[in-house]
Amino acid sequence: DIEIIKNLGGEYLLNENPQNKTPGAINFPLVNKYSVSFRWLRYIYILNQIINYKLINNNSTWVDIGSYYGGLQGLVKKYYPESKIIMVDFNHQLTRSYIYLKQLYPEANHVFPNEISSIKSLESLPKGSILYVEIADYEKLNNFKFNLATNFFSFSEMWSSIFDQCMDSEIFSKATKQFIVNRFVSASFF
């Protein structure tokens, strides 16, 4: 995985983002002189793809379905600090994301799930805002247009009816760009 990232021009991302320097990180053993884990390598790879393919810029709005603890979002925000990031997940995952991202970006405008209904437009939010949206409120985002809509791995864990609902939503259909990485064959353990 390290060699793939290096071959794709992302070695600087490995050097600039050692995992053991992130909030709450344990002292990861070095792998070929890099502080990484399998998950962190995946995040670095995805970040490299976002950069290489110019999927967002500093004026972009990015919605990610299934954001887990915010690791990828924290990396992307480092390189696109004024972009607006909207994370959709279960409440307990959003809590993890907030705890992590608040430590990285304490001055950012963090918008909580109970505040989503009051937002009339994403343009009205300060640059660099981070929004936390519960999966049950996914449809409330239909009125917004996103530059990038993403999902990394959680679509393959969903019931097919929920997957279809997400893919057929206005969120994905109206997004300027979509970036999805999922397993072709998967079984949910839920």
Side-chain angles (χ1 to χ4, degrees):
D1 291 346
I2 290 171
E3 291 305 313
I4 290 170
I5 291 168
K6 288 165 73 172
N7 286 334
L8 294 172
E11 184 172 13
Y12 74 100
L13 297 172
L14 291 166
N15 289 319
E16 292 176 4
N17 300 289
Q19 188 172 9
N20 61 4
K21 300 293 184 197
T22 61
I26 60 173
N27 193 11
F28 291 93
L30 297 181
V31 179
N32 295 349
K33 77 180 172 109
Y34 301 105
S35 174
V36 294
S37 64
F38 286 120
R39 181 179 300 276
W40 197 250
L41 285 169
R42 181 173 55 205
Y43 291 163
I44 295 288
Y45 171 81
I46 292 169
L47 171 64
N48 192 55
Q49 297 296 84
I50 289 171
I51 292 170
N52 286 345
Y53 287 98
K54 298 175 177 58
L55 298 180
I56 63 170
N57 60 45
N58 256 331
N59 296 315
S60 292
T61 55
W62 166 36
V63 61
D64 183 46
I65 314 305
S67 52
Y68 189 43
Y69 76 94
L72 174 62
Q73 291 73 20
L75 286 167
V76 171
K77 186 162 180 58
K78 179 178 179 177
Y79 295 92
Y80 303 99
E82 294 183 358
S83 63
K84 295 174 185 172
I85 299 172
I86 298 88
M87 296 179 293
V88 180
D89 212 323
F90 298 113
N91 192 45
H92 65 280
Q93 301 293 39
L94 295 174
T95 302
R96 287 183 175 101
S97 296
Y98 172 73
I99 291 168
Y100 180 77
L101 294 170
K102 182 69 173 176
Q103 290 178 65
L104 284 175
Y105 305 104
E107 301 303 318
N109 179 41
H110 295 267
V111 180
F112 298 112
N114 64 333
E115 300 170 302
I116 299 303
S117 295
S118 65
I119 296 171
K120 302 301 178 214
S121 75
L122 295 176
E123 293 77 21
S124 67
L125 294 172
K127 291 181 178 184
S129 292
I130 304 170
L131 288 75
Y132 306 86
V133 180
E134 291 185 52
I135 194 70
D137 292 332
Y138 180 76
E139 297 295 323
K140 291 181 180 178
L141 298 175
N142 278 337
N143 296 329
F144 303 129
K145 181 150 177 21
F146 301 99
N147 300 102
L148 179 63
T150 62
N151 178 267
F152 305 109
F153 298 100
S154 65
F155 274 175
S156 61
E157 298 169 347
M158 296 178 183
W159 293 93
S160 58
S161 60
I162 305 269
F163 168 80
D164 290 339
Q165 181 181 355
C166 288
M167 287 304 297
D168 294 339
S169 71
E170 292 183 36
I171 295 165
F172 268 87
S173 65
K174 289 182 180 177
T176 307
K177 298 174 184 170
Q178 300 173 355
F179 184 15
I180 302 169
V181 178
N182 282 274
R183 295 174 291 271
F184 182 75
V185 176
S186 182
S188 177
F189 60 88
F190 299 109

